[in-house]
Amino acid sequence: ADPILAAAHDDLDNDRFRLAERLLASFTVADLIDASSLVDIADRLWSALRARHPSAFAHRGRVKREAYVSQRLPMGTIVRGQMDLVLEADEGFVIVDHKTYVTDDAQTLAATFAGQLRAYASALEAATSRPVIETLAHLPLSGALVPVR
């Protein structure tokens, strides 16, 4: 193996580990999960998303974190929210909502977030005139990434 590439990889891993430690400390949850587990969770999520929607990763700027959305409904109500993660794939958008619940039944739990994800999808489609092709609930502590309809 190339020692320069190995060192660069180690530096990247160390940077990610330190970022995970800072995040856990800032949210005062370092006693609940360790930094290496958090990095592993992130790796699994990104790997799954790249496999499902590779076109979203083909160009820079097609992955948005904490994207705000709002929509005025026909009766005048304004719906506002913050989408945790939005991917712009060639076919349309993918919305990912992170939830920290622990469950043995990820499908049933994920279904309870359908209304929230439908509202996000409706607002995003209205704002962009592009379809939302998938909404997902990411349940990292349960090890699940679940499609929600």
Side-chain angles (χ1 to χ4, degrees), residues 5-19 39 43:
L5 290 177
H9 182 70
D10 288 344
D11 288 344
L12 178 61
D13 286 345
N14 288 336
D15 289 346
R16 294 176 71 225
F17 183 82
R18 284 193 295 277
L19 174 60
V39 170
D43 288 345

Side-chain angles (χ1 to χ4, degrees), residues 6-106:
H9 182 70
D10 288 344
D11 288 344
L12 178 61
D13 286 345
N14 288 336
D15 289 346
R16 294 176 71 225
F17 183 82
R18 284 193 295 277
L19 174 60
E21 286 181 322
R22 286 194 308 273
L23 287 169
L24 293 171
S26 71
F27 288 98
T28 61
V29 293
D31 57 332
L32 301 176
I33 186 171
D34 61 55
S36 63
S37 294
L38 187 59
V39 170
D40 289 343
I41 287 168
D43 288 345
R44 285 193 304 271
L45 173 63
W46 291 116
S47 177
L49 292 173
R50 278 188 182 92
R52 291 173 88 95
H53 301 287
S55 67
F57 297 91
H59 306 284
R60 294 182 62 82
R62 297 182 92 182
V63 176
K64 306 286 186 212
R65 292 170 180 87
E66 299 181 4
Y68 289 95
V69 68
S70 65
Q71 179 183 28
R72 182 180 300 274
L73 300 178
M75 295 184 59
T77 303
I78 297 175
V79 177
R80 292 186 181 108
Q82 182 177 348
M83 300 174 290
D84 293 331
L85 187 60
V86 178
L87 309 178
E88 186 178 353
D90 290 345
E91 310 80 22
F93 292 103
V94 177
I95 300 171
V96 180
D97 195 39
H98 304 296
K99 300 294 184 184
T100 57
Y101 299 95
V102 177
T103 182
D104 292 328
D105 188 356

Side-chain angles (χ1 to χ4, degrees), residues 97 99 101-114 117 136-149:
D97 195 39
K99 300 294 184 184
Y101 299 95
V102 177
T103 182
D104 292 328
D105 188 356
Q107 295 286 351
T108 299
L109 179 61
T112 67
F113 308 117
L117 287 165
L136 299 161
H138 177 225
L139 303 165
L141 301 179
S142 299
L145 182 63
V146 183
V148 178
R149 301 194 195 316

